[in-house]
Amino acid sequence: MAGYVGILVSDPSLQNQFTQVELRSLKTHFTSMRRESGKLTVGDLASRMSRLKVVGENLSEQERADFIADLYPNLNDEVDFEFFLKVYLKLHAHASSRTGSPAKNSSAFLKAATTTLLHTISESEKASYVAHINNYLAQDGFLNKYLPIDPSSNDLFEFVKDGVLLCKLINVAVPGTIDERAINTKRLLNPWERNENHTLCLNSAKAIGCTVVNIGTQDFIEGRRHLVLGLISQIIKIQLLADLNLKKTPQLVELVDDSKDVEELMSLPPEKILLRWMNFQLKKSPYKKIVSNFSTDVKDAEAYAHLLNVLAPEYSNPSTLAVKDPFQRAKLVLEHADRMGCKRYLTAKDIVDGSPNLNLAFVAHIFQHRNGLSTETKQISFLETLPDDAQVSREERVFRFWINSLGNSTYIDNVFEDLRNGWILLETLDKVSPGIVNWKIANRPPIKLPFKKVENCNQVVKIGKQLKFSLVNIAGNDIVQGNKKLILAYLWQLMRYNILQLLKNLRFHSHGKEITDVDILRWANTKVSNSGSQSRMDSFKDKSLSDGIFFLELLSAVQPRSVNWSLVTKGVTDDQKKMNATYIISIARKLGCSIFLLPEDITEVNQKMILTLTASIMYWFLKQPVEEKPSATSDSENGSQAETNSNSTTDDSASESSVE
């Protein structure tokens, strides 16, 4: 690790200050800051460092500016990476001394590629997560010999080292994400099998919406505690908030008054819906304050006392609101929750300390147990009249998780709402094609003036045309207005461009020439044919692909030991097709493919997702060192065909990249 640090940092005094993961994260931030204006000066640092978790959240911009100016009065001096690290370390120490702790929100759910440097973990949160795992995985046939885990010990970090527990936890959060037939569950796993489990875990975590930038398989094998807890917290959060949407809980429409408000509610992230629900219930009580967060606004436990009195008055205790001490009130609140039968994993101290993670979990548990919403509302009948476009919903999910996996500055909850100011789209374009964005004319959020959003989105459209996207009748204002069809069309072309560029950049295969959909199709058919199989696909919308057999043949061709054929079904019935599709996705992720499709995308032969699946398998295979490839391959199989067809146009096999 020191060798790696030394590559980027020559100053010996800095080499031992950072881990590999931290340095990589900070280098990404530094590069992004400098790219926006072409250079980075001392005077720029105060505003640009707002994105860094500790110094950005615990110091205001003015405080950062004053602190930096005292140390470095020459504000026009240009900043290099080592200077940036020195300033960051000093600001970090200053922020920690101000707050009396390493970070105000050091245990917050990870939403971006940020660093806490000191790697503090909350023992309360660890105990809470362990209790959650003990509760939800107690009946698992493989894990029951290890459970319950002692929350006061560090056993959790030992149990995650084989990858099985984390894979199982993902399936608890979003059932069916991982086909458990793909998990290596032998009692003693070799390093290769253990690494496969962690690769499967990380790619599956991305596919359910976790941010895993700068987390690698080695971090789990080494039991890096802050990274393990960071991922576990995200997985548990996804599970706890799963019901906070109108599809799962249509009664939530009681929170709004008309159809316009319903559409707004549908676009809110789950945490915001939970806060709105809590305030909706509190209006029925004498409590008059608005709860805007799960930290400072609930630490006196008064809001909780009123909330539980509304939801479960039969278990109320008159002394709860009478006591003056917040800690005693918190204890009585938890007793009330216990009488309701509401499972909770926090203590009175966690409430009064304002732990955002644990308080959010507590409110989510209350919602799951008793939400107090009516099933007899006019809005529910109205909700049934809203268009339910499952395909649009699935595509939105794929693109959302893909964008979040890139590690942009902001986590998005809804592509139709969160991309409207153009900023995240510009960041995504810059990740896909570094240097293509003109940051000098970009407008940074928060953006209040509508024309500034249009300016950003106009640049998004201009870059799309530069990349040869089909953007007939698309203007920047269409994105600002949240036009679903046009946004999905743009994102599909951007995602497709990204995977084709990744393949093109493997120059020893493509010789730097363009890769087309036809090349990918021919590569897949050649691999399967060379393995001795008769299976083939005529195009990416070939209905025969619905049984999954072709992709199992392809996966077996690129890695012969990857598919256990005794677990494969004939793919005749719908259930058999879905079993094969689930197995395909898990095997691909286990190998190392970063894919976001659902089993339905295979069984229904979704042309776009079939292309991305095939291209991802191709990219994974071509990345492997020659000596590690499972079978001998010729140049004609991997390289020449790409060269031969690089100028060909896409035919029926090509995915739809134009707006229809």
Side-chain angles (χ1 to χ4, degrees):
M1 182 172 67
Y4 175 87
V5 174
I7 294 172
L8 295 179
V9 181
S10 58
D11 187 342
S13 66
L14 289 172
Q15 288 191 13
N16 295 322
Q17 297 286 337
F18 300 94
T19 67
Q20 176 178 338
V21 170
E22 290 166 343
L23 194 75
R24 192 185 305 131
S25 175
L26 287 168
K27 181 66 173 177
T28 299
H29 281 296
F30 173 76
T31 303
S32 176
M33 292 174 189
R34 189 170 59 181
R35 186 185 296 132
E36 289 171 20
S37 57
K39 69 175 184 175
L40 189 66
T41 66
V42 174
D44 295 329
L45 290 176
S47 62
R48 303 282 174 82
M49 282 185 158
S50 62
R51 312 171 195 174
L52 299 176
K53 187 175 243 184
V54 177
V55 302
E57 293 182 353
N58 293 282
L59 296 172
S60 68
E61 183 173 333
Q62 189 59 51
E63 288 170 331
R64 291 192 299 273
D66 292 343
F67 183 80
I68 292 171
D70 287 341
L71 292 174
Y72 311 104
N74 297 324
L75 299 182
N76 292 321
D77 286 355
E78 192 165 346
V79 174
D80 63 15
F81 184 50
E82 290 194 5
F83 185 87
F84 166 77
L85 292 178
K86 291 174 183 177
V87 175
Y88 174 76
L89 284 170
K90 290 178 180 179
L91 275 172
H92 191 291
H94 180 56
S96 299
S97 66
R98 285 280 308 277
T99 60
S101 62
K104 180 176 67 176
N105 292 319
S106 62
S107 60
F109 288 108
L110 302 180
K111 282 202 170 184
T114 51
T115 175
T116 57
L117 189 68
L118 299 182
H119 303 328
T120 56
I121 66 169
S122 163
E123 289 297 322
S124 290
E125 287 193 25
K126 184 188 76 173
S128 172
Y129 303 152
V130 167
H132 185 95
I133 289 168
N134 286 340
N135 182 40
Y136 282 94
L137 290 172
Q139 304 305 315
D140 184 89
F142 179 82
L143 294 175
N144 59 15
K145 55 182 173 290
Y146 304 112
L147 302 180
I149 301 170
D150 180 359
S152 65
S153 72
N154 286 322
D155 289 350
L156 172 65
F157 306 112
E158 291 299 315
F159 292 150
V160 300
K161 288 184 177 181
D162 65 5
V164 177
L165 188 148
L166 291 173
C167 286
K168 300 271 190 177
L169 190 61
I170 286 172
N171 267 358
V172 168
V174 183
T177 299
I178 296 176
D179 189 323
E180 297 203 359
R181 296 173 294 176
I183 305 173
N184 298 318
T185 54
K186 293 191 308 188
R187 184 170 293 277
L188 291 176
L189 299 178
N190 62 42
W192 197 83
E193 292 167 329
R194 192 172 56 211
N195 188 72
E196 279 190 329
N197 280 350
H198 290 307
T199 302
L200 173 60
C201 165
L202 286 173
N203 282 319
S204 300
K206 281 196 290 186
I208 65 169
C210 296
T211 299
V212 297
V213 177
N214 295 331
I215 303 178
T217 59
Q218 193 63 27
D219 296 314
F220 296 117
I221 293 169
E222 294 175 1
R224 301 282 297 279
R225 300 195 301 166
H226 64 293
L227 295 177
V228 170
L229 284 187
L231 180 59
I232 289 175
S233 70
Q234 292 185 81
I235 296 169
I236 291 176
K237 177 188 177 185
I238 287 168
Q239 177 189 345
L240 293 178
L241 300 179
D243 292 339
L244 281 150
N245 60 73
L246 289 173
K247 286 188 176 179
K248 292 282 188 70
T249 312
Q251 297 89 342
L252 283 167
V253 293
E254 191 178 349
L255 307 184
V256 298
D257 296 322
D258 56 39
S259 60
K260 186 176 180 181
D261 290 335
V262 169
E263 291 184 16
E264 178 193 349
L265 186 68
M266 292 174 73
S267 68
L268 288 177
E271 302 98 307
K272 296 291 186 184
I273 295 177
L274 191 62
L275 280 170
R276 183 174 287 199
W277 166 80
M278 187 174 179
N279 286 309
F280 174 80
Q281 299 296 354
L282 286 173
K283 286 180 182 178
K284 303 173 185 176
S285 75
Y287 192 76
K288 299 306 177 189
K289 298 178 184 176
I290 300 295
V291 178
S292 60
N293 59 63
F294 294 108
S295 182
T296 55
D297 286 1
V298 295
K299 63 194 304 183
D300 62 5
E302 283 189 31
Y304 285 154
H306 286 287
L307 177 66
L308 295 184
N309 283 346
V310 168
L311 296 174
E314 68 273 25
Y315 299 118
S316 62
N317 182 342
S319 61
T320 304
L321 290 168
V323 298
K324 302 298 182 185
D325 179 26
F327 183 79
Q328 293 302 320
R329 187 182 305 117
K331 287 177 67 175
L332 293 172
V333 162
L334 293 179
E335 289 173 7
H336 190 162
D338 283 340
R339 289 192 293 273
M340 287 171 59
C342 181
K343 193 75 176 177
R344 45 91 180 178
Y345 305 120
L346 82 172
T347 65
K349 184 177 184 301
D350 296 325
I351 293 177
V352 298
D353 284 348
S355 169
N357 282 2
L358 298 183
N359 278 294
L360 181 147
F362 181 50
V363 178
H365 275 295
I366 294 171
F367 177 85
Q368 287 182 340
H369 190 74
R370 188 178 296 195
N371 62 41
L373 298 173
S374 171
T375 57
E376 302 295 330
T377 62
K378 295 178 182 177
Q379 292 98 324
I380 289 182
S381 59
F382 164 77
L383 193 62
E384 293 171 353
T385 67
L386 289 177
D388 180 23
D389 193 329
Q391 187 62 41
V392 167
S393 178
R394 289 218 307 260
E395 289 194 11
E396 186 276 335
R397 173 191 179 278
V398 166
F399 297 137
R400 171 164 36 99
F401 291 164
W402 171 65
I403 290 172
N404 285 332
S405 76
L406 299 176
N408 290 318
S409 63
T410 304
Y411 186 95
I412 64 170
D413 292 287
N414 184 301
V415 299
F416 304 127
E417 293 298 321
D418 298 344
L419 300 185
R420 288 170 61 177
N421 64 16
W423 182 262
I424 296 297
L425 278 171
L426 290 173
E427 284 193 328
T428 303
L429 284 161
D430 200 52
K431 289 272 173 51
V432 169
S433 184
I436 202 167
V437 176
N438 184 352
W439 292 108
K440 293 180 181 178
I441 61 171
N443 302 294
R444 175 190 296 279
I447 306 172
K448 295 182 179 178
L449 299 175
F451 78 90
K452 294 288 186 181
K453 298 178 184 179
V454 174
E455 286 179 353
N456 280 353
C457 292
N458 280 342
Q459 187 179 179
V460 167
V461 173
K462 181 181 177 182
I463 293 172
K465 291 178 179 177
Q466 184 180 332
L467 297 177
K468 296 183 171 54
F469 293 177
S470 176
L471 299 174
V472 180
N473 297 325
I474 295 183
N477 196 50
D478 293 314
I479 299 174
V480 177
Q481 296 299 321
N483 185 309
K484 292 183 179 181
K485 184 177 180 181
L486 299 184
I487 289 173
L488 290 178
Y490 190 98
L491 290 176
W492 159 239
Q493 294 181 82
L494 181 56
M495 188 179 190
R496 176 176 172 273
Y497 174 83
N498 181 47
I499 189 66
L500 293 179
Q501 283 300 107
L502 290 173
L503 288 167
K504 176 187 173 183
N505 291 339
L506 295 173
R507 295 187 182 277
F508 55 95
H509 292 293
S510 72
H511 303 283
K513 296 188 177 180
E514 298 298 326
I515 297 290
T516 69
D517 299 6
V518 176
D519 299 325
I520 298 168
L521 179 75
R522 183 168 293 135
W523 173 85
N525 280 326
T526 301
K527 287 301 300 177
V528 171
S529 175
N530 287 353
S531 71
S533 171
Q534 300 300 312
S535 299
R536 65 172 284 107
M537 63 171 164
D538 294 327
S539 71
F540 294 118
K541 56 184 179 183
D542 184 341
K543 293 302 181 184
S544 70
L545 299 173
S546 65
D547 63 9
I549 301 299
F550 178 84
F551 288 107
L552 290 165
E553 297 273 12
L554 178 59
L555 289 165
S556 185
V558 299
Q559 177 49 266
R561 65 180 297 277
S562 63
V563 177
N564 182 344
W565 286 99
S566 67
L567 302 176
V568 175
T569 75
K570 293 181 180 179
V572 177
T573 67
D574 289 345
D575 287 343
Q576 289 177 343
K577 289 179 179 180
K578 187 169 184 179
M579 287 179 68
N580 283 352
T582 305
Y583 192 46
I584 289 164
I585 292 170
S586 292
I587 291 297
R589 288 176 181 152
K590 183 177 175 180
L591 288 181
C593 299
S594 181
I595 50 177
F596 301 91
L597 74 167
L598 293 171
E600 291 82 358
D601 292 317
I602 296 176
T603 60
E604 296 172 13
V605 193
N606 179 326
Q607 186 175 357
K608 297 175 183 177
M609 296 304 110
I610 292 292
L611 170 60
T612 61
L613 172 62
T614 313
S616 296
I617 297 171
M618 179 180 178
Y619 179 65
W620 174 84
F621 176 76
L622 296 183
K623 274 197 314 179
Q624 305 309 302
V626 174
E627 64 274 12
E628 292 183 15
K629 286 183 181 176
S631 59
T633 53
S634 66
D635 288 342
S636 63
E637 182 179 329
N638 292 323
S640 299
Q641 70 187 42
E643 185 176 3
T644 302
N645 294 289
S646 60
N647 295 318
S648 61
T649 57
T650 56
D651 58 11
D652 192 40
S653 66
S655 191
E656 299 150 351
S657 58
S658 60
V659 181
E660 293 182 354

